[in-house]
Amino acid sequence: MAPRLQLEKAAWRWAETVRPEEVSQEHIETAYRIWLEPCIRGVCRRNCKGNPNCLVGIGEHIWLGEIDENSFHNIDDPNCERRKKNSFVGLTNLGATCYVNTFLQVWFLNLELRQALYLCPSTCSDYMMGDGIQEEKDYEPQTICEHLQYLFALLQNSNRRYIDPSGFVKALGLDTGQQQDAQEFSKLFMSLLEDTLSKQKNPDVRNIVQQQFCGEYAYVTVCNQCGRESKLLSKFYELELNIQGHKQLTDCISEFLKEEKLEGDNRYFCENCQSKQNATRKIRLLSLPCTLNLQLMRFVFDRQTGHKKKLNTYIGFSEILDMEPYVEHKAEPSKSQTRKPKCGKGTHCSRNAYMLVYRLQAQERPNTTIQVPAFLQELVDRDNSKFEEWCIEMAEMRKQSVDKGKAKHEEVKELYQRLPAGAEPYEFVSLEWLQKWLDESTPTKPIDNHACLCSHDKLHPDKISIMKRISEYAADIFYSRYGGGPRLTVKALCKECVVERCRVLRLKNQLNEDYKTVNNLLKATVKGSDGFWVGKSSLRSWRQLALEQLDEQDGDADQSSGKMNGNTLNKDESKEERKEEEEELNFNEDILCPHGELCISENERRLVSKEAWSKLQQYFPKAPEFPSYKECCSQCKILEREGEENEALHKMIANEQKTSLPNLFQDKNRPCLSNWPEDTDVLYIVSQFFVEEWRKFVRKPTRCSPVSSVGNSALLCPHGGLMFTFASMTKEDSKLIALIWPSEWQMIQKLFVVDHVIKIMRTEGGDANLSETQYISEPKLCPECREGLLCQQQRDLREYTQATIYVHKVVDNKKVMKDSAPELNVSSSETEEDKEETKPDGEKDPDFNQSNGGTKRQKISHQNYIAYQKQVIRRSMRHRKVRGEKALLVSANQTLKELKIQIMHAFSVAPFDQNLSIDGKILSDDCATLGTLGVIPESVILLKADEPIADYAAMDDVMQVCMPEEGFKGTGLLGH
């Protein structure tokens, strides 16, 4: 037995021999465990929750002894944020912007570029006011050049260890949470910067990008026949080097410059020979830039998956790169290595590097102490002043926290020694509050003991495990400093709760014996009229019900506690719990009928002897009592007879209607508008919904309510006009209506209440010019409402979410049932007509008046009719999924590109290899939504795949990039 349970048992052992009226103060203090000895530090390792005198392990260990001052605060030393002497300034990573920070540092270290940007004119003069900067207004750069100026000035002279580039990133419109292609960013930004600087008047500024980063090479083609050499000059800002199959940077450069043979169908047309000749083609480096950017092409595109793949190949490179042999076009051959190359002094190896930047050694470097312009320096000085103010503020906050911690340390050391009560006057305080008082991380709140109170507003004996007994001296200091309450002295020990608990414990002990006695009495047969009716369910669970009833007051006491240190109980939850408890049946209430009398079903009850009932009544004095001679509820008997009569009546009605309308019930010999029958000039119309509901009743009359009226108002608009044209009733609307023969209509009028008569009449044209047959509806069509209905239907079909469409892969214009890729969703093969929907008795259909009253027209709004239309449309347009077809869940606002990604996962066909069509219409606009493209629920889309001509060679050590990339679309790098 656990120690806590042992303490519980020991605290109430006296209740086994003491009657409730004999409870004394000694018994009360025993129940509250005041007799327990306090625990000793070092002997007791953790707090004993069952012992109110145990004050060990409540958080005091962090305060006893010497304490490091740094433990009194969680504020780092602000000087850690200060830039160290002769060190560089870093940039904050805003999420996934490390590629931006990398290039900003590279460009900052390019002194010529930094100097040129400092020379750019700035709009900062608008920000200046008089002799200095406007103090109340923060500086916001307006152009990309101004952002770079400000960033470079901060990187050069800031006192901070790192600075925030969020203004620059925001100006470019970059997503800080999306990792982008660093090489693409470098190209686009250099192009943007060059275009921006091209408008500057100063040539040193205007041409800085070309001067620093632009080189020149030529595509050289040499005819093998005559030796004629042709050149095509081209500028470059970086060299894109293929790394696949290479281990050294020099190998990558050699491959970039290697000769290509032009032979066979790829022969070169020589102007000198005036004919196609075998030739060689190569790239010849003519001049190198001051800063050489080498792009290592680590990402390649895989046509099979539609994703980029990253090559994690090791590449070796040196700190000093000799490019003279390559400019003269003398390639250095190097044998490829299969393992990580050995890196000596001055060389490096990397499997992640994607760009290498080399600086031309022969160039004369400018003065390394580039002067920051005065207006920028003033901005930097202001930022440095803010930083210094922040450092002072943080240091002061640290000092205040330390002073507060020292004071708390002294308080705890003083009061903790005086907490034990001993024999002196005492009070009870919440253990949770004491733990929070000793918690250095949270401020101490007022004492709140409300959660420990019983229904008599005293200390509940069951709450003693979450309370601690402390000295009155310590309690006086706590309440004077922190306030709160109520104070729980010796007078707060609740005698009423202890007496009640004593009674409950004695009854629980007696319950075990009575349970055995009742079980023995139930085995005997009850004779004569001395027995009592008891519910079988109550007999099975009476012992548990008795225990719950005995504990009920304790449970009420627990709920009466309002809150614990500010944590209030949810009133709505308490009300719901009480409501559920009230709805639970008490003992013997399971044989009560709805009228409060004895139920008529004898299967739910049994007779017990008078002796057994007397024992049960001791525990359930308020239980309903039914002697064996008690008659069952008379009202229930009447209702039972009426129910049997109603079932018989329903069967009779169903049989009569089935006999009167056999063809309508069996769906045989039905008229058709597209093939009008010759033997009649008029046909009547009812809704198909009415026919379906009526057939359900006829099939199962005891489970369904009779359909007493024909609700044709659902087929009419609010103005009383028909919502269908003759043409639509022969096609798309044919599943919404049912055609009725005149003879059937006469019978329907006898059997049902008809709110509106709707009929179609055939007439022959009387005029010689109008000899064709005409069809007239009564009532006539309402054109305005018909047009509104069609528009609403189209909107509904284009505003869907999570609807099912189907995709067929087509080869040679044939549908192929492909087994690969799991089916994401399937439509049910069961028709709606196969599903029987049973309505509870008394439930009325919203579109049909089932009362036996007059033929008063129901007011059905246009919106109600549309809702009815939607229900039938879903039935009529449902697509039957065939074996091997792929079903996808889509939404109307989803783009075609997103659909192609889904199709790629289902059919393993890359998006750019997909040719999609629907009803003969090609779907090609990737940015268009499915709704605008006419893709509606249950649509079938045909997929024709362009198979790749050749596959890529196998790649070693490849890691797939999972998500397709949007690139820099929508950012400032592309002019947005």
Side-chain angles (χ1 to χ4, degrees):
M1 184 181 293
R4 184 174 177 181
L5 296 179
Q6 291 177 346
L7 289 174
E8 175 78 15
K9 189 173 182 180
W12 293 96
R13 186 175 290 115
W14 57 269
E16 299 175 0
T17 57
V18 177
R19 291 194 298 269
E21 60 271 17
E22 298 174 347
V23 174
S24 65
Q25 182 64 24
E26 182 180 357
H27 294 138
I28 295 174
E29 293 187 352
T30 302
Y32 282 92
R33 309 175 199 177
I34 296 175
W35 50 274
L36 290 174
E37 293 293 331
C39 296
I40 302 174
R41 281 185 53 82
V43 177
C44 184
R45 296 185 177 180
R46 60 182 180 180
N47 186 257
C48 304
K49 289 191 175 180
N51 184 356
N53 299 320
C54 178
L55 298 172
V56 175
I58 60 176
E60 77 286 351
H61 62 281
I62 63 175
W63 298 99
L64 303 180
E66 297 299 325
I67 300 180
D68 184 4
E69 289 186 357
N70 290 327
S71 64
F72 292 139
H73 63 81
N74 58 356
I75 303 174
D76 294 331
D77 185 357
N79 289 316
C80 294
E81 303 296 310
R82 190 181 301 278
R83 177 183 186 178
K84 294 182 180 180
K85 187 176 182 181
N86 298 326
S87 64
F88 291 104
V89 176
L91 292 165
T92 303
N93 188 355
L94 304 177
T97 57
C98 53
Y99 67 99
V100 178
N101 293 352
T102 300
F103 283 106
L104 283 174
Q105 294 286 13
V106 169
W107 297 329
F108 169 74
L109 294 175
N110 189 309
L111 302 184
E112 293 81 4
L113 176 62
R114 194 197 314 174
Q115 181 66 62
L117 286 170
Y118 283 165
L119 294 176
C120 286
S122 174
T123 58
C124 187
S125 57
D126 298 334
Y127 178 74
M128 308 290 287
M129 182 182 68
D131 297 333
I133 298 177
Q134 302 179 38
E135 291 294 335
E136 70 281 359
K137 184 178 179 182
D138 291 332
Y139 171 60
E140 295 182 0
Q142 302 299 313
T143 66
I144 294 299
C145 288
E146 290 182 6
H147 276 286
L148 285 177
Q149 283 180 336
Y150 189 40
L151 277 176
F152 285 180
L154 289 172
L155 288 173
Q156 184 169 338
N157 290 339
S158 177
N159 291 345
R160 301 177 187 269
R161 188 162 61 94
Y162 51 84
I163 60 175
D164 184 358
S166 56
F168 174 74
V169 172
K170 183 179 179 181
L172 291 178
L174 301 178
D175 184 354
T176 58
Q178 182 177 1
Q179 180 64 48
Q180 294 283 15
D181 189 330
Q183 297 165 336
E184 184 181 5
F185 171 75
S186 174
K187 292 179 185 179
L188 293 174
F189 186 80
M190 280 290 102
S191 176
L192 176 65
L193 183 61
E194 183 178 17
D195 180 67
T196 303
L197 295 179
S198 65
K199 303 176 180 62
Q200 298 293 324
K201 296 180 180 180
N202 189 336
D204 293 335
V205 177
R206 184 172 62 247
N207 302 323
I208 187 62
V209 174
Q210 291 192 16
Q211 291 172 0
Q212 287 297 309
F213 303 100
C214 184
E216 187 176 30
Y217 57 58
Y219 291 97
V220 181
T221 306
V222 180
C223 176
N224 290 354
Q225 180 65 27
C226 66
R228 179 179 180 272
E229 181 179 277
S230 65
K231 295 181 181 179
L232 177 61
L233 301 180
S234 179
K235 294 182 179 180
F236 70 88
Y237 291 86
E238 64 277 315
L239 298 180
E240 297 182 349
L241 305 180
N242 175 37
I243 66 171
Q244 188 175 344
H246 301 300
K247 297 296 182 182
Q248 293 289 345
L249 176 62
T250 52
D251 296 341
C252 303
I253 299 175
S254 297
E255 182 187 347
F256 181 78
L257 300 174
K258 73 179 180 181
E259 289 185 350
E260 175 189 3
K261 293 183 179 181
L262 305 179
E263 299 175 341
D265 294 338
N266 199 28
R267 288 184 299 168
Y268 164 70
F269 183 84
C270 179
E271 294 289 342
N272 190 35
C273 300
Q274 286 297 305
S275 62
K276 285 189 174 183
Q277 300 291 339
N278 292 340
T280 59
R281 178 172 292 167
K282 57 193 173 185
I283 293 177
R284 179 180 298 171
L285 294 176
L286 302 179
S287 64
L288 296 176
C290 299
T291 301
L292 177 61
N293 293 328
L294 300 179
Q295 304 271 16
L296 305 184
M297 308 303 291
R298 288 201 173 273
F299 290 91
V300 294
F301 197 77
D302 185 358
R303 290 173 60 89
Q304 292 298 314
T305 62
H307 295 292
K308 286 184 178 181
K309 290 183 177 180
K310 182 183 177 185
L311 302 177
N312 291 325
T313 306
Y314 276 105
I315 292 295
F317 53 92
S318 61
E319 293 181 0
I320 299 177
L321 179 62
D322 185 6
M323 289 295 291
E324 185 175 357
Y326 299 105
V327 175
E328 296 178 356
H329 199 56
K330 295 179 180 179
E332 295 176 358
S334 176
K335 186 177 180 180
S336 297
Q337 302 178 22
T338 57
R339 298 183 179 179
K340 179 179 178 181
K342 295 182 179 180
C343 299
K345 186 176 181 180
T347 62
H348 304 274
C349 297
S350 173
R351 62 187 301 174
N352 296 314
Y354 49 80
M355 185 172 183
L356 301 175
V357 180
Y358 285 92
R359 176 78 182 181
L360 185 62
Q361 283 187 327
Q363 184 185 20
E364 293 184 3
R365 300 283 288 176
N367 187 353
T368 55
T369 57
I370 295 178
Q371 190 71 23
V372 176
F375 72 93
L376 287 175
Q377 185 57 49
E378 191 170 353
L379 291 172
V380 173
D381 292 342
R382 180 179 178 183
D383 184 75
N384 287 339
S385 297
K386 290 182 178 179
F387 174 70
E388 297 299 333
E389 291 173 1
W390 176 84
C391 289
I392 295 173
E393 182 181 354
M394 290 297 103
E396 181 61 27
M397 290 177 63
R398 276 168 57 99
K399 182 178 181 303
Q400 292 177 0
S401 297
V402 170
D403 293 342
K404 188 176 180 180
K406 287 181 178 179
K408 183 64 173 288
H409 184 203
E410 294 300 323
E411 177 187 66
V412 171
K413 286 201 301 184
E414 174 195 358
L415 282 180
Y416 184 75
Q417 303 301 327
R418 299 293 303 270
L419 277 184
E424 61 184 286
Y426 60 84
E427 292 190 27
F428 285 93
V429 175
S430 162
L431 170 61
E432 182 182 5
W433 185 87
L434 285 174
Q435 291 172 332
K436 290 186 176 181
W437 172 63
L438 293 169
D439 185 357
E440 59 179 343
S441 64
T442 58
T444 305
K445 296 181 179 180
I447 301 172
D448 189 350
N449 291 325
H450 287 89
C452 307
L453 301 182
C454 65
S455 57
H456 313 103
D457 290 331
K458 294 185 177 182
L459 178 58
H460 198 292
D462 284 352
K463 298 295 184 179
I464 199 65
S465 60
I466 59 173
M467 303 298 289
K468 292 300 174 184
R469 190 170 73 101
I470 65 173
S471 66
E472 188 179 58
Y473 171 83
D476 288 340
I477 295 178
F478 283 151
Y479 284 106
S480 64
R481 292 183 181 178
Y482 302 106
R487 299 186 68 161
L488 302 177
T489 64
V490 66
K491 295 181 180 179
L493 305 184
C494 185
K495 181 177 181 179
E496 290 86 347
C497 287
V498 173
V499 170
E500 179 62 20
R501 172 58 59 83
C502 177
R503 186 188 68 84
V504 168
L505 290 175
R506 291 177 63 85
L507 282 176
K508 285 182 179 180
N509 292 333
Q510 181 183 340
L511 177 62
N512 293 329
E513 295 298 325
D514 289 344
Y515 180 72
K516 296 176 183 179
T517 302
V518 170
N519 282 346
N520 291 328
L521 291 173
L522 291 177
K523 294 177 182 178
T525 304
V526 181
K527 298 180 181 180
S529 59
D530 293 336
F532 290 83
W533 289 112
V534 179
K536 292 181 179 180
S537 175
S538 293
L539 283 176
R540 287 193 296 268
S541 59
W542 79 269
R543 186 188 184 195
Q544 181 63 29
L545 289 173
L547 284 172
E548 292 176 357
Q549 186 168 287
L550 292 174
D551 293 338
E552 186 177 9
Q553 286 188 343
D554 292 337
D556 290 342
D558 291 342
Q559 292 181 4
S560 67
S561 57
K563 54 187 176 178
M564 167 76 84
N565 289 319
N567 297 327
T568 58
L569 293 175
N570 190 315
K571 295 182 179 179
D572 295 335
E573 292 180 358
S574 300
K575 289 181 180 178
E576 291 178 1
E577 291 176 0
R578 286 196 298 270
K579 186 177 180 181
E580 291 177 359
E581 291 176 358
E582 291 172 359
E583 291 176 353
E584 292 179 359
L585 294 179
N586 296 319
F587 181 79
N588 218 30
E589 289 182 356
D590 51 325
I591 60 173
L592 285 177
C593 74
H595 311 102
E597 300 293 335
L598 182 62
C599 67
I600 60 178
S601 175
E602 293 189 7
N603 294 330
E604 299 177 5
R605 49 190 165 91
R606 64 168 289 185
L607 278 175
V608 301
S609 64
K610 185 176 181 180
E611 292 79 8
W613 176 251
S614 297
K615 284 289 183 184
L616 294 172
Q617 207 171 27
Q618 292 178 9
Y619 294 93
F620 310 106
K622 297 182 180 180
E625 181 179 297
F626 298 108
S628 58
Y629 55 80
K630 177 73 174 181
E631 292 290 336
C632 297
C633 178
S634 57
Q635 296 183 59
C636 288
K637 290 181 179 179
I638 295 173
L639 291 176
E640 184 181 31
R641 288 194 298 269
E642 290 178 350
E644 294 173 353
E645 293 173 357
N646 285 337
E647 287 186 2
L649 178 62
H650 287 181
K651 290 180 181 179
M652 182 184 70
I653 294 174
N655 186 58
E656 178 186 359
Q657 293 179 354
K658 180 179 179 181
T659 304
S660 302
L661 300 169
N663 291 339
L664 182 61
F665 175 73
Q666 299 175 7
D667 199 16
K668 293 182 179 179
N669 190 26
R670 306 312 306 155
C672 179
L673 291 180
S674 58
N675 187 16
W676 190 281
E678 295 294 335
D679 55 348
T680 183
D681 290 331
V682 60
L683 291 174
Y684 293 86
I685 293 177
V686 296
S687 72
Q688 184 64 30
F689 184 74
F690 158 76
V691 175
E692 292 173 358
E693 293 297 303
W694 173 72
R695 286 172 180 166
K696 288 179 185 178
F697 164 70
V698 174
R699 289 192 193 102
K700 297 182 179 180
T702 60
R703 293 176 54 185
C704 301
S705 299
V707 178
S708 58
S709 62
V710 178
N712 272 351
S713 57
L715 305 180
L716 304 177
C717 73
H719 314 107
L722 188 61
M723 294 293 289
F724 310 108
T725 65
F726 181 83
S728 71
M729 287 189 289
T730 63
K731 296 178 182 178
E732 65 270 16
D733 291 330
S734 61
K735 295 185 179 181
L736 306 179
I737 63 171
L739 297 174
I740 305 297
W741 296 103
S743 59
E744 292 176 330
W745 182 252
Q746 293 179 2
M747 189 58 64
I748 287 176
Q749 287 185 309
K750 293 179 180 179
L751 298 174
F752 306 98
V753 176
V754 179
D755 56 355
H756 292 281
V757 178
I758 303 177
K759 59 184 177 180
I760 302 292
M761 296 170 287
R762 179 179 62 179
T763 61
E764 300 295 337
D767 195 332
N769 297 327
L770 299 174
S771 59
E772 296 182 356
T773 302
Q774 293 183 342
Y775 299 95
I776 302 173
S777 67
E778 187 179 305
K780 295 183 179 180
L781 173 73
C782 182
E784 294 82 3
C785 292
R786 171 68 181 175
E787 184 66 24
L789 174 64
L790 294 177
C791 293
Q792 182 64 41
Q793 289 177 346
Q794 293 300 317
R795 282 196 296 270
D796 292 340
L797 292 176
R798 284 163 174 75
E799 295 177 0
Y800 53 86
T801 57
Q802 292 296 293
T804 303
I805 66 170
Y806 302 89
V807 179
H808 276 298
K809 186 178 180 183
V810 176
V811 177
D812 296 332
N813 296 324
K814 294 181 180 179
K815 294 181 180 180
V816 177
M817 307 307 176
K818 191 173 180 181
D819 297 327
S820 64
E823 296 172 2
L824 303 179
N825 189 26
V826 294
S827 61
S828 173
S829 60
E830 182 181 10
T831 63
E832 293 289 336
E833 291 78 7
D834 294 335
K835 299 178 181 178
E836 291 293 340
E837 299 177 0
T838 303
K839 289 188 176 65
D841 292 341
E843 181 179 343
K844 297 182 179 180
D845 189 278
D847 293 329
F848 294 90
N849 180 12
Q850 297 181 344
S851 65
N852 295 323
T855 59
K856 183 179 179 181
R857 175 180 177 178
Q858 291 176 298
K859 294 183 179 180
I860 298 184
S861 66
H862 187 54
Q863 288 74 14
N864 290 341
Y865 176 74
I866 290 174
Y868 165 73
Q869 282 277 67
K870 289 181 181 179
Q871 178 183 3
V872 186
I873 285 174
R874 295 191 195 103
R875 299 181 184 181
S876 62
M877 67 182 296
R878 176 159 294 176
H879 171 75
R880 291 293 185 88
K881 181 178 177 296
V882 297
R883 182 175 176 270
E885 194 172 55
K886 302 296 180 293
L888 305 179
L889 289 176
V890 298
S891 301
N893 59 356
Q894 181 177 326
T895 63
L896 181 63
K897 182 177 181 180
E898 293 169 336
L899 174 62
K900 287 184 176 181
I901 298 298
Q902 287 182 263
I903 294 175
M904 180 183 71
H905 292 301
F907 288 91
S908 298
V909 178
F912 46 78
D913 286 332
Q914 298 175 16
N915 295 298
L916 305 179
S917 63
I918 179 172
D919 298 330
K921 175 186 174 183
I922 303 298
L923 304 179
S924 57
D925 187 355
D926 286 347
C927 297
T929 63
L930 300 187
T932 58
L933 292 173
V935 179
I936 63 176
E938 307 294 322
S939 294
V940 179
I941 293 179
L942 300 184
L943 163 66
K944 193 174 188 305
D946 289 338
E947 301 298 339
I949 298 175
D951 200 357
Y952 279 90
M955 302 178 185
D956 295 332
D957 199 9
V958 170
M959 178 186 73
Q960 182 172 347
V961 179
C962 296
M963 295 299 296
E965 297 181 3
E966 289 288 337
F968 292 96
K969 178 181 178 181
T971 69
L973 294 172
L974 296 177
H976 296 285

